[in-house]
Amino acid sequence: MQSNQKQYLWWQDGIIYQVYPRSYQDTNGDGVGDLRGVIQRLDYLKWLGIKAIWLSPIYPSPMADFGYDISDYRGIWPAFGSMADFDELLQAVHAAGMKIILDLVPNHSSDEHPWFLESRSSRDNPKRDWYIWKDAKADGSPPNNWLSVFGGSAWDWDEKTGQYYYHAFLVKQPDLNWRNPEVEKAILDVMRFWLDKGVDGFRVDAMWHMVKDLQWRDNPRNPDYKDWMGTYEQLLPVYSTDQPEMHGIVAQMRKVLDQYDQRLMIAEIYLPVHRLVAYYGVQEKEAHLPFNFMLISLPWDSRQIAAAIDEYEGVLAQDDQPNWVIGNHDQPRITSRVGAGQAKVAAMLLLTLRGTPTIYYGDEIGMRDVPIPPHEVRDPQGLNMPGKNLSRDPERTPMQWDDSINAGFTQGEPWLRLDRAFRRHNVKAEKSSDISSLHLYKKLIELRQQEPSLMTGAYRPVYSDHQLIAYIRQAEGQPGFLVVLNLTHRPCYFTPTTIRFTGVIVIDTLPEQEEVSVKDTINLFGDEGMVVKLDDWQSVSSNPPHELPVLP
Ligand code: NOJ
């Protein structure tokens, strides 16, 4: 019998999990995680139920920005292992039915990359134009006012050749010149190199930075700048990012991927939603998943979040695949941002919204940001802008596996200190607790992957107020699921006026509530979120007012 059910690709119905290799599992005692460590932990990832592993950069690098400064796009950083280790990892991941996504960093290389060494060697070197070189202004100052994301000017003076070069990030991360077709060809070849090996896609770093204004105009001042912000925020990056020419380049990258079978392009882009969705391209000819960071960027406020979800759902074209993120290696961890109770509600939101979720390693066990004493700070963003609490080290600490020495991460001295509470918060302990964060993630993932309604079903907003968000997920011909989330610590009532329903709570952040039947209204504790399997529901134009308790 022919089925007319839509077929979904692996990245449309699967879950992505980000591994920061430095911090995942060390196997050789040098205090730094490695590829063999990821191989060792594949059983865990398989058990958790994720589909794809995104590895932050694994390439040779001076590690000025922990791998986002690449000195060889086709190799493996020796401390992470060898190419043979990578091949073994890839093979093991595929044998387990999973996928691997690599980080691709096309906006800049390391200043130690042979391309840049050549480029800076003389003004007439054939690779001079592979990077962005400009003369000083008459007074010797940089060509324009652009700032580096990591502090200070984005221009660095090269004494030998008497010009400035542009670096959106560190001095040690010169930007490639994407207006030069040779650069485009070189990076597309790098993509082919890894795709030929069998990697399943890329997470493209800093995509919105890749092309710059042709006239190099000054960026305007940001009227909303406050002292506590990173110095980069002083200007609005109007001319240094998100230039229209970018879309042609992404389309070229996509063409390369499309020459292979089911390969994925995720794009790191921090932009307002209407500009973000432009990166899907017309008829989905650009990135498959422009990362949607709104759950990271917005205040944890139910009305703002509900409105943002609806806006995002509203601006997506029919075939654009939504996606959601609540944490990554650049942002404070969700547990530290909203608290442990709310982090569970956030997990429920992440795993029940329509679209592909990406989980940041350790968030599933509720890992917190770890305070790193000033003399141990490693992150250049923290080092370059001290006193602003901008270091990203706190969210990059070693994975907490068990209660043994260094949480089972390393037998050596860990590159970054661990959370002292690791003896309580670790995978092993949480696996055996049915009230743990890990237990909740596992249940949510299992349910999502079993139920077409939650995996790929339509999203229908039901209700939101200053505490609550509620929506229904339903696929055609399948039972619907009502998700009700209290985004505050205080109790509240869910009394929707637009639907009537009966159902059973199948997952709750407070497990005592599970298996309870509910009808039309629900009382929620603070920090409570629930997934209700609906027996029946209907829209009503206006429900009779619910009976609320009358105070004496
Ligand atoms: C974004 C990456 O996620 C971040 O870690 C890095 O520092 C910058 N891009 C520069 O590559």
Side-chain angles (χ1 to χ4, degrees):
M1 202 176 71
Q2 275 241 319
S3 146
N4 52 10
Q5 284 264 302
K6 180 173 171 188
Q7 291 297 305
Y8 290 91
L9 303 175
W10 61 267
W11 48 271
Q12 293 172 321
D13 61 15
I15 294 168
I16 299 170
Y17 182 96
Q18 180 187 359
V19 166
Y20 195 66
R22 246 189 124 75
S23 293
Y24 208 56
Q25 177 67 61
D26 177 23
T27 57
N28 63 359
D30 65 359
V32 170
D34 44 49
L35 296 179
R36 303 215 67 81
V38 184
I39 298 178
Q40 193 178 307
R41 294 301 182 178
L42 283 184
D43 287 349
Y44 167 71
L45 294 171
K46 181 83 189 156
W47 169 84
L48 188 59
I50 58 107
K51 182 70 188 179
I53 303 167
W54 152 32
L55 292 175
S56 282
I58 53 172
Y59 318 103
S61 161
M63 292 286 154
D65 187 21
F66 296 110
Y68 286 93
D69 49 322
I70 297 171
S71 53
D72 173 6
Y73 283 95
R74 297 166 189 238
I76 305 291
W77 187 49
F80 285 158
S82 62
M83 192 58 91
D85 293 329
F86 178 77
D87 291 339
E88 195 178 321
L89 170 63
L90 186 61
Q91 206 246 325
V93 167
H94 286 165
M98 295 192 285
K99 308 278 181 185
I100 280 217
I101 300 163
L102 292 187
D103 226 302
L104 181 75
V105 188
N107 177 68
H108 47 269
S109 71
S110 161
D111 65 339
E112 296 180 33
H113 193 292
W115 296 341
F116 188 71
L117 295 179
E118 274 196 56
S119 183
R120 79 179 321 168
S121 67
S122 77
R123 284 202 189 196
D124 53 16
N125 184 280
K127 292 231 166 33
R128 183 67 170 181
D129 188 46
W130 279 43
Y131 292 84
I132 297 166
W133 293 96
K134 292 269 170 252
D135 291 335
K137 283 191 181 156
D139 63 358
S141 62
N144 64 22
N145 70 351
W146 295 2
L147 296 172
S148 154
V149 175
F150 291 150
S153 166
W155 297 96
D156 201 55
W157 178 249
D158 181 57
E159 205 53 63
K160 183 173 165 214
T161 57
Q163 279 190 311
Y164 282 97
Y165 70 86
Y166 177 72
H167 56 90
F169 297 92
L170 295 176
V171 169
K172 284 188 69 59
Q173 292 169 297
D175 279 43
L176 284 154
N177 175 13
W178 274 84
R179 294 193 185 270
N180 181 337
E182 288 175 28
V183 167
E184 178 174 309
K185 180 175 179 310
I187 297 287
L188 298 186
D189 282 349
V190 167
M191 292 174 69
R192 289 188 194 97
F193 171 83
W194 292 103
L195 292 167
D196 286 341
K197 268 191 172 290
V199 309
D200 300 286
F202 300 101
R203 171 269 189 190
V204 181
D205 187 71
M207 185 183 272
W208 79 120
H209 280 270
M210 283 166 65
V211 186
K212 293 61 161 153
D213 179 41
L214 259 181
Q215 299 171 52
W216 304 95
R217 283 168 280 189
D218 276 353
N219 279 326
R221 299 235 147 251
N222 175 4
D224 299 323
Y225 178 71
K226 306 277 179 304
D227 278 356
W228 50 264
M229 295 174 172
T231 50
Y232 178 71
E233 317 277 327
Q234 292 172 97
L235 303 179
L236 298 171
V238 170
Y239 296 113
S240 48
T241 62
D242 193 28
Q243 298 302 294
E245 295 90 331
M246 199 50 231
H247 295 282
I249 291 173
V250 188
Q252 290 307 315
M253 297 171 91
R254 173 62 178 270
K255 268 194 196 151
V256 172
L257 288 162
D258 284 349
Q259 282 154 11
Y260 298 78
D261 192 29
Q262 293 190 25
R263 309 297 169 98
L264 169 67
M265 174 161 43
I266 309 175
E268 187 209 24
I269 299 172
Y270 284 88
L271 284 177
V273 66
H274 61 284
R275 281 158 62 195
L276 175 72
V277 297
Y279 283 82
Y280 284 102
V282 178
Q283 293 178 332
E284 288 74 44
K285 287 284 181 270
E286 296 182 29
H288 297 98
L289 302 177
F291 258 150
N292 163 12
F293 295 126
M294 60 175 64
L295 297 179
I296 287 182
S297 317
L298 283 172
W300 200 246
D301 172 90
S302 53
R303 271 192 282 223
Q304 288 190 58
I305 289 181
I309 297 169
D310 292 353
E311 185 189 5
Y312 182 60
E313 280 279 352
V315 294
L316 290 173
Q318 197 185 345
D319 290 329
D320 294 348
Q321 169 73 6
N323 75 92
W324 300 95
V325 184
I326 57 174
N328 64 36
H329 63 295
D330 296 327
Q331 305 293 339
R333 281 193 183 269
I334 187 74
T335 302
S336 294
R337 209 152 58 81
V338 302
Q342 277 299 308
K344 290 184 175 172
V345 177
M348 194 169 267
L349 181 65
L350 174 73
L351 292 164
T352 59
L353 282 171
R354 187 175 78 90
T356 309
T358 300
I359 299 173
Y360 182 47
Y361 87 92
D363 278 357
E364 74 275 24
I365 54 168
M367 274 173 66
R368 308 180 286 183
D369 286 350
V370 179
I372 306 293
H375 62 280
E376 289 177 22
V377 171
R378 306 287 303 269
D379 176 30
Q381 180 166 278
L383 291 169
N384 289 359
M385 291 178 276
K388 289 191 177 239
N389 275 318
L390 287 175
S391 169
R392 299 167 296 178
D393 292 335
E395 62 260 23
R396 296 175 175 180
T397 59
M399 179 69 174
Q400 296 155 207
W401 294 105
D402 56 37
D403 59 3
S404 68
I405 183 160
N406 295 322
F409 165 69
T410 182
Q411 297 293 317
E413 186 60 33
W415 77 281
L416 212 52
R417 64 165 61 199
L418 285 108
D419 187 343
R420 283 209 198 95
F422 75 76
R423 293 212 155 73
R424 280 183 286 132
H425 295 291
N426 60 64
V427 169
K428 187 167 163 231
E430 294 206 9
K431 258 190 175 178
S432 56
S433 156
D434 58 10
I435 55 164
S436 67
S437 170
L438 183 58
H439 194 76
L440 178 70
Y441 267 85
K442 170 83 176 144
K443 278 193 297 190
L444 285 167
I445 292 172
E446 243 168 40
L447 185 69
R448 186 186 187 280
Q449 300 313 98
Q450 276 163 15
E451 294 287 349
S453 287
L454 287 170
M455 195 156 55
T456 51
Y459 162 87
R460 178 192 167 106
V462 166
Y463 179 80
S464 67
D465 64 19
H466 61 296
Q467 289 187 272
L468 282 178
I469 298 181
Y471 47 90
I472 289 176
R473 298 288 316 285
Q474 188 157 29
E476 242 183 271
Q478 297 285 327
F481 287 82
L482 169 68
V483 181
V484 188
L485 306 171
N486 179 354
L487 265 63
T488 73
H489 307 309
R490 287 165 293 124
C492 59
Y493 294 103
F494 171 61
T495 56
T497 51
T498 53
I499 61 163
R500 284 189 204 150
F501 64 90
T502 56
V504 177
I505 301 175
V506 284
I507 303 185
D508 199 299
T509 56
L510 311 175
E512 298 76 13
Q513 311 278 95
E514 287 170 7
E515 291 168 35
V516 169
S517 296
V518 285
K519 180 172 185 303
D520 295 341
T521 69
I522 304 175
N523 302 337
L524 288 97
F525 281 86
D527 296 331
E528 184 170 9
M530 58 179 68
V531 182
V532 176
K533 184 166 187 177
L534 294 169
D535 300 323
D536 188 27
W537 72 277
Q538 49 187 296
S539 297
V540 286
S541 45
S542 77
N543 251 356
H546 300 297
E547 283 188 23
L548 291 177
V550 181
L551 295 173

